[in-house]
Amino acid sequence: MTWLLDAGNTRIKVSRLDANGEPTEPQRVDYADVSAWVAELDADARILISCVAANQHRAALSAQLPSHTEWVQTPPEGLGIRCAYANHRKWGVDRWLALATVHARAPAGQGSAVCDVGTATTFDLCDEHGRHQGGWIAPGPLALMQALGNGRTSLPQAASELPEHLGLATDTEEALLYGALHCAIGSIRAAAETAAERNIDTLVVAGGGAELLQPYLQGLKIRIEPELVTRGLADYARTVEKPAQSA
């Protein structure tokens, strides 16, 4: 069995490949529960991980996951994408996987663009030949609120809990929320405009904040796909042969 792990700064999203080679709906595993999850695995299970978590989480995962775990890294060129960075290792593996899986399914002759809203809000695009053109990184809404509010704030967990309109706030907590949302929405709008300038028809918006922000993105040519990294890992698993384990 093949397991796919998308490790972020809050928790790990765990999926597996089904009988058709497609990823199942991800389940959330807290870092404190990794050992218990590993204990339930078959000894010969294939494990692929995309990890962009802080160093302490990465170290904890390294100590708890089996030694044959495949830590997926961004290559200079792979899955149909050629990295624009002079040092390809500095382009986050999550950003590469997300762009690659979108581009693999894009209409022929068209580039692709992805904006991911999580701890950071990131944007990347490639041309019709899969040549990465670059992108940007901005603070995600929760990270921004925590930075400005000294860690005392949190985002609502559902779109129904968010304000219908982002007007003028009348207290500090509300002002932090509105400001963080405006920053994320502005980044997505800028990403959509940049994509349109490159003749990319639709911006794909992913990440944990994508669906929360959707009500504020009316009028933009976007498509919400929350689990791009998991799908990218599935593409990688189907494309890259499992390394031979040493005896």
Side-chain angles (χ1 to χ4, degrees):
M1 183 174 293
T2 298
W3 292 93
L4 313 170
L5 279 62
D6 174 12
N9 282 302
T10 305
R11 61 180 61 86
I12 308 159
K13 290 188 282 189
V14 176
S15 182
R16 60 177 176 80
L17 292 186
D18 64 18
N20 297 315
E22 296 297 326
T24 59
E25 184 71 20
Q27 303 298 312
R28 271 61 174 175
V29 175
D30 291 329
Y31 280 94
D33 299 327
V34 171
S35 291
W37 179 78
V38 170
E40 298 295 324
L41 296 179
D42 294 334
D44 61 348
R46 185 183 186 189
I47 305 171
L48 294 88
I49 182 169
S50 162
C51 182
V52 294
N55 288 338
Q56 68 269 26
H57 289 323
R58 188 181 186 93
L61 286 171
S62 296
Q64 297 175 82
L65 291 173
S67 60
H68 63 268
T69 297
E70 299 169 52
W71 295 76
V72 180
Q73 303 293 326
T74 305
E77 185 170 357
L79 296 183
I81 299 293
R82 184 185 307 167
C83 180
Y85 282 25
N87 182 351
H88 60 275
R89 295 177 180 85
K90 290 189 175 182
W91 189 30
V93 63
D94 57 333
R95 294 166 64 192
W96 165 57
L97 290 169
L99 186 60
T101 197
V102 168
H103 190 61
R105 295 160 176 80
Q110 188 170 127
S112 302
V114 174
C115 189
D116 187 284
V117 185
T119 301
T121 299
T122 67
F123 172 60
D124 287 282
L125 62 79
C126 67
D127 66 15
E128 66 272 22
H129 303 294
R131 294 178 296 216
H132 180 219
Q133 302 297 294
W136 64 62
I137 304 173
L142 180 56
L144 187 58
M145 289 179 68
Q146 290 175 333
L148 294 175
N150 196 26
R152 293 191 297 270
T153 58
S154 62
L155 279 174
Q157 296 301 304
S160 61
E161 300 173 21
L162 291 171
E164 183 176 351
H165 301 291
L166 296 179
L168 298 176
T170 55
D171 63 58
T172 299
E173 290 291 311
E174 187 178 56
L176 285 167
L177 173 62
Y178 284 17
L181 292 173
H182 272 300
C183 285
I185 293 163
S187 291
I188 296 171
R189 289 188 177 278
E193 291 172 3
T194 302
E197 290 168 0
R198 303 295 183 101
N199 296 315
I200 297 172
D201 184 62
T202 301
L203 171 70
V204 178
V205 183
E211 291 176 324
L212 285 177
L213 295 178
Q214 189 171 13
Y216 306 114
L217 302 175
Q218 302 303 316
L220 296 182
K221 295 194 74 173
I222 64 170
R223 185 171 76 248
I224 304 294
E225 296 188 19
E227 304 299 344
L228 289 183
V229 175
T230 295
R231 191 199 297 166
L233 282 170
D235 290 348
Y236 181 94
R238 290 190 296 264
T239 304
V240 178
E241 186 177 350
K242 178 180 178 181
Q245 298 182 30
S246 57

